[in-house]
Amino acid sequence: MPINHLKPSPVTTKILAAVIFNLICYINVGMPFAAVPLYVHQQLGYNSVVAGMAVSIAYIGTFLSRPGAGKWIDTKGAKSSVVIGLIVSACGGLFTLASSFFIAQPLTALFIIILGRFCMGASESWASTGTNLWNISRVGVENATQVISWNGVTSYGGMAIGAPLGIFLSRLPGFWGGLNSIAILTTILAAAGALLASTYQNIPPTPSSEPRLSFTKVFMRVLPTGAGLGLATIGFGSIQAFMALYFVFNNWNGSAYAISLFGGCFVLIRFIFKSSIDRYGGYIVAIVSLCVETFGLCLIAFTHSIIGTYIGAGLTGCGFSLMYPALGIIAISTVGAENRGSALAFFSLFLDIALFIAGPLLGFIHLHWGYYWLFLSSAVFTCAGIILTSILHYQSKHRTIVTPN
């Protein structure tokens, strides 16, 4: 094969140059996944509901900051959104570091951890949404599917890198190990990313003669596809918030590898089937993806073995992989260029809502009925997603075929 065929296209090269900031953001998101719930449960002494909440609280920050990030991108540009997001990520690392000074006061330490997680959630909405829209501006809306796919690859690839890295760092002895080492590396990566992003060229928002839609109208336009994304995200939430505790409950080692397997399969599917959305349409890809995710969650629930859990986590990653770009392309097509930032922000909001709900809801289910029902309940949500997406697909075909006389 000629060497030129192995080189990425100019469009891909341009996307990769900016998507590195999304990678940094999600490495920072992934590092505390296993460490924070174990820290809250084992060192601070709180139960599994609080431990799950400590992870999920980040998505309150993401939820509250999404609309502001979308409006900022539409009116002031995406580059500054990325820089702001990375600076807030560095602040999250500093809060996490500060919590170690109050470990003898569990409530205070928990509060500071929550502040750090809140910052990480806000950084995710500003940096990730900003990177998506910045890259769409850089390479054109005709390459939006490729942009969103690469953003997803770096999102879950970053978490796949961050999770085992966080476990490794959390096992280091002394003050400079444990959660402190994760906090320090988070701060350094985010600060370096913000400095690098500030050197890139800014692209002003797209001018438009059309009036911008209100937040309510944008929200209602993305509501159907956003709901489908939210139902699919519950499965991811069960892996993120409870896999580490599930391994501890079963006296197994290697929970970070299950999270990494989820992320690795997620990335692999993005590469292998990156053209399937353009070929078959977003709804078809979403329906197939939800079926695979449901099977993976059922495998975790029913097998009660470490091998079955690894395979189930991988299949869940495979199924969840294409959900965001498949439905996201449909979501942003419902508005004009002047509202794309808000549309993508509101669409992503459903992911945040689902992840926030997943922690306490699944924690409550586990507390009363155990891990079997926790993962089986997650599969019920993804089944509901199959039904909803199938209805939306039918409606879209009906609108296409049936025209007024």
Side-chain angles (χ1 to χ4, degrees):
M1 179 181 293
I3 294 178
N4 286 340
H5 289 181
L6 300 177
K7 293 181 179 179
S9 68
V11 169
T12 301
T13 301
K14 203 167 186 179
I15 292 171
L16 292 176
V19 84
I20 184 69
F21 304 118
N22 194 61
L23 179 66
I24 291 171
C25 174
Y26 278 95
I27 288 175
N28 285 352
V29 168
M31 281 194 288
F33 268 178
V36 165
L38 291 177
Y39 174 78
V40 172
H41 183 57
Q42 295 180 342
Q43 296 191 43
L44 299 185
Y46 291 97
N47 62 29
S48 60
V49 175
V50 177
M53 179 71 76
V55 176
S56 298
I57 202 74
Y59 298 102
I60 293 182
T62 312
F63 175 86
L64 294 177
S65 61
R66 286 279 191 202
K71 184 177 180 180
W72 180 283
I73 292 165
D74 286 335
T75 57
K76 299 185 179 181
K79 172 188 170 179
S80 56
S81 174
V82 173
V83 174
I84 290 169
L86 290 171
I87 291 173
V88 173
S89 179
C91 292
L94 292 175
F95 275 121
T96 304
L97 180 63
S99 71
S100 66
F101 295 97
F102 297 91
I103 195 168
Q105 304 169 45
L107 185 60
T108 303
L110 178 65
F111 177 73
I112 297 174
I113 281 287
I114 286 173
L115 286 178
R117 296 295 297 156
F118 192 90
C119 285
M120 294 306 298
S123 76
E124 184 180 345
S125 63
W126 283 73
S128 183
T129 307
T131 301
N132 248 329
L133 273 298
W134 195 9
N135 260 334
I136 289 175
S137 299
R138 284 160 58 87
V139 301
V141 69
E142 66 274 10
N143 294 300
T145 300
Q146 189 175 350
V147 168
I148 295 176
S149 292
W150 271 110
N151 226 56
V153 166
T154 51
S155 295
Y156 295 95
M159 287 188 284
I161 294 169
L165 178 59
I167 287 291
F168 171 77
L169 292 174
S170 68
R171 290 173 177 169
L172 295 177
F175 176 83
W176 300 107
L179 201 59
N180 289 351
S181 60
I182 294 173
I184 292 167
L185 183 57
T186 295
T187 305
I188 292 172
L189 285 175
L195 287 173
L196 179 61
S198 67
T199 66
Y200 279 44
Q201 179 185 5
N202 184 43
I203 299 177
T206 303
S208 175
S209 58
E210 297 292 326
R212 297 185 187 277
L213 296 174
S214 68
F215 277 6
T216 303
K217 287 183 178 179
V218 175
F219 179 83
M220 292 307 296
R221 291 194 182 186
V222 303
L223 174 59
T225 51
L229 175 67
L231 290 168
T233 304
I234 297 291
F236 167 50
S238 68
I239 302 293
Q240 172 193 280
F242 294 99
M243 188 55 69
L245 297 176
Y246 183 54
F247 269 66
V248 171
F249 173 78
N250 287 295
N251 294 315
W252 298 338
N253 294 317
S255 62
Y257 299 115
I259 298 172
S260 293
L261 189 59
F262 173 97
C265 289
F266 180 102
V267 171
L268 185 64
I269 292 298
R270 280 282 175 99
F271 278 121
I272 295 174
F273 297 103
K274 60 183 178 182
S275 62
S276 62
I277 298 170
D278 293 330
R279 184 177 302 173
Y280 302 109
Y283 287 124
I284 292 294
V285 171
I287 291 167
V288 173
S289 297
L290 282 162
C291 290
V292 174
E293 185 178 0
T294 301
F295 181 73
L297 291 166
C298 288
L299 197 62
I300 297 173
F302 287 110
T303 58
H304 308 293
S305 69
I306 190 169
I307 298 299
T309 300
Y310 279 138
I311 296 172
L315 286 173
T316 304
C318 289
F320 189 61
S321 176
L322 295 173
M323 287 300 301
Y324 191 97
L327 297 180
I329 291 298
I330 298 170
I332 65 173
S333 70
T334 62
V335 300
E338 71 280 359
N339 287 110
R340 284 193 192 121
S342 296
L344 196 61
F346 275 120
F347 176 70
S348 302
L349 203 63
F350 288 89
L351 186 149
D352 307 328
I353 294 170
L355 287 173
F356 173 69
I357 291 173
L361 175 61
L362 297 178
F364 178 83
I365 291 171
H366 159 256
L367 200 61
H368 289 82
W369 298 289
Y371 284 106
Y372 167 79
W373 284 105
L374 185 155
F375 290 110
L376 192 60
S377 298
S378 301
V380 170
F381 281 105
T382 56
C383 278
I386 295 171
I387 296 169
L388 172 62
T389 310
S390 298
I391 293 171
L392 294 175
H393 178 51
Y394 171 80
Q395 290 176 341
S396 69
K397 289 177 64 178
H398 185 72
R399 283 194 299 269
T400 301
I401 295 172
V402 179
T403 57
N405 293 325

